[in-house]
Amino acid sequence: MMAWDDEPLFGNDADDKAATRPPRPSGDPWPILVVDDDPQVHAMTAVLLRDFDFDDRPFEVVGALSAAEARVILAERPDLPVALLDVVMETEDAGLRLVRYIRDDLANRRMRIILRTGQPGQAPERDVIVGYDINDYKAKSELTAQRLFTTLVSALRAWRDIVTIERNRLGLERILNASASLFELRSMRAFVESLVDQLSRVVDPGGDPAILACRQTERGDGMPQTAVVAGIGRYARAVGLPVAEALAPTLAAAIETANKSHSNLYADGHCVLVFRTREHGKTVLVLERAEPYAADEHRLLELFCNRVAIGFDNVCLYEELITLNRSLEQRVDARTAELAANQKALILAKERAERALERELGAKENQSQFLGMVSHEFRTPLAIIDSAAQLLAMRAEQAGPDMLERLAVIRGSVQRLTGLIDSHLTDERLQSNALVVERSSVDLAALILTVVNPFQVAYPDRRFHVDLGGLPQRADMDAHLIGLVLANLITNAVKYSGSGSAITLRGDTDGVMAVIEVADQGRGIPDSEIPRLFERFFRGASAVGVPGTGIGLHTVQQIVHLHGGAVAVDSELGAGTRFRIILPVLA
């Protein structure tokens, strides 16, 4: 069986059900504007709302049988919180036109508008919600008593929140307008008097409240006392008197209590505000009016006091600033003379720095020339040594196989020295932006084997695993520079892995990118050092006891970036390190 609260309001007629209802609340009723051309709708709505209340306030139906009649009511009562509107009345879109009138002509954004129609097809919900500023859409056939109550309570809460926000906004505007003029004053007495006057406009614009300000002063015998320093209304004649003489005992006691507790006191008909400036004591304000101060007004008053507390300090500091200004002028004169002497010293220091820079540039140029000379002078004898080692190796294969290992060590040392020269020259060209990538079609797998073979000969105690089947047949890149990248990575793998460990080189293709991996089973790199691994001259804790300059990985990253690629590293302490180079196949 359907419960009473779930029965449709506008369905088939049903028997009246009598029930015992609680007494109606005594608060001011919530006025609900009902606009519908059916008198039965008004009667039914009034009957059902008679049994509901919200916040101890009953509901009151303000009825209009047409949109035109509703316009007259809205002109007389613009503060109505909620409207239940029918769509089809004197015209098929009379309700929708009334929505436009409320929102656009009356500029009423606070009212919550609930469209209630018996012909949903005449005003489709989606079109109405999008095209009109309404807050809810209900079909009469689905609107039960409980749903009507729920809808109205939600709308009233929204309206109440909007009104509170707007009231707070207006209060904040009054605070800003009032406090702005206070900051222009330079006399303490004028400031307090203006404060009391402006505060009256904040708490009761257009009214006539009684407000006074109290501060601690000294009596004729030098003892402290709390006296009235400014006042309006019935306190205007109390200025200069002690609060014990000027005020009623209960109010004077409230001032002393607030002064000692440093907290605000709110009571029916008055409030006591205490605010302390940063450096110049406390001030107590007493505000009286017939209407009690609401909670949101408490926050506005406290905000106002916080702002004017700065004004108090500004007034007191103004005279101090004048005194300090005179002292500052004298200091400025002395400082100006000191700065003139420092300027001369800076000019001399600049000249010395320029000469040092010239010497540094000259030294850098000499270094570049030296490296070029070393490269030229060393390559020829190194090539001769390598050729002789190759010739001896060919003869030793027949005459003395035991010499092959020594000859391999000689050739490996020559190649390492040649690689070291190439690394330093490449780094120098990178730093001077003189390195140019000379691309050509390269057999990448053959290039890698060419780089790996000397290491296999020089380090027979390492197990080299090479898997290059996944690489593209050809790639556009600088063969010399990529060979230098691979040599640096293999050199690191050899230096940081022990005898008998494996060094793996793997090649693969990822779309238009060639991927080369160089992995070892060496010491590994701590996670904290990986972000700095490619910095120039950086050497980590694992490099202790291992020869090197700290420019190899920096050179690797720069060359890969010049090719439009990327380099990544994964490492685990004690398990090894894997470098991954990604290079575009086509330029």
Side-chain angles (χ1 to χ4, degrees), residues 196-339:
V196 172
D197 179 62
Q198 295 290 353
L199 189 57
S200 66
R201 303 178 187 179
V202 172
V203 299
D204 193 10
D208 186 22
I211 301 177
L212 63 87
C214 308
R215 284 179 63 84
Q216 194 173 69
T217 61
E218 288 187 359
R219 297 188 309 189
D221 57 2
M223 296 298 293
Q225 68 174 2
T226 302
V228 179
V229 294
I232 62 173
R234 62 191 185 90
Y235 295 122
R237 297 182 180 180
V239 176
L241 298 176
V243 295
E245 300 179 10
L247 307 178
T250 54
L251 189 55
I255 292 174
E256 292 300 326
T257 300
N259 209 352
K260 292 178 180 178
S261 63
H262 308 288
S263 59
N264 301 330
L265 302 177
Y266 298 96
D268 293 339
H270 75 270
C271 67
V272 181
L273 306 176
V274 181
F275 62 92
R276 184 183 185 88
T277 62
R278 187 171 55 186
E279 299 178 0
H280 302 94
K282 293 178 293 186
T283 299
V284 179
L285 298 175
V286 178
L287 294 77
E288 288 187 352
R289 71 177 184 186
E291 181 183 354
Y293 292 99
D296 55 339
E297 289 180 315
H298 296 176
R299 292 189 291 270
L300 290 176
L301 291 171
E302 291 169 0
L303 176 61
F304 179 80
C305 290
N306 290 336
R307 287 184 59 85
V308 299
I310 302 173
F312 266 93
D313 275 333
N314 290 342
V315 171
C316 296
L317 291 174
Y318 178 72
E319 294 182 356
E320 297 177 12
L321 288 175
I322 293 177
T323 303
L324 290 175
N325 185 54
R326 296 192 185 98
S327 175
L328 183 61
E329 290 176 354
Q330 297 174 355
R331 294 186 180 183
V332 167
D333 293 338
R335 186 59 176 165
T336 301
E338 183 181 350
L339 289 175

Side-chain angles (χ1 to χ4, degrees), residues 27 45 81 107 115 122 154 181 203 231 256 297 318 354 438 460 463 523 565 576:
T45 303
L115 207 62
Q122 190 70 26
S154 300
S181 62
V203 299
E256 292 300 326
E297 289 180 315
Y318 178 72
E354 289 175 348
E438 298 179 359
R463 293 180 289 110
R523 305 177 182 181

Side-chain angles (χ1 to χ4, degrees), residues 373-410:
M373 180 193 68
V374 168
S375 174
H376 177 73
E377 296 297 332
F378 278 25
R379 285 182 186 277
T380 300
L382 288 173
I384 294 173
I385 295 172
D386 187 52
S387 299
Q390 292 184 51
L391 181 60
L392 290 173
M394 290 171 25
R395 294 180 180 178
E397 288 179 355
Q398 300 176 356
D402 57 328
M403 296 177 58
L404 289 175
E405 182 176 353
R406 297 180 183 178
L407 292 172
V409 172
I410 292 173

Side-chain angles (χ1 to χ4, degrees), residues 458-473:
Y459 299 97
D461 60 336
R462 304 298 199 278
R463 293 180 289 110
F464 286 87
H465 301 296
V466 182
D467 179 11
L468 307 177
L471 287 174
Q473 293 183 352

Side-chain angles (χ1 to χ4, degrees), residues 575-586:
T577 303
R578 179 174 65 114
F579 286 90
R580 192 165 185 260
I581 300 171
I582 305 172
L583 296 169
V585 176
L586 300 177

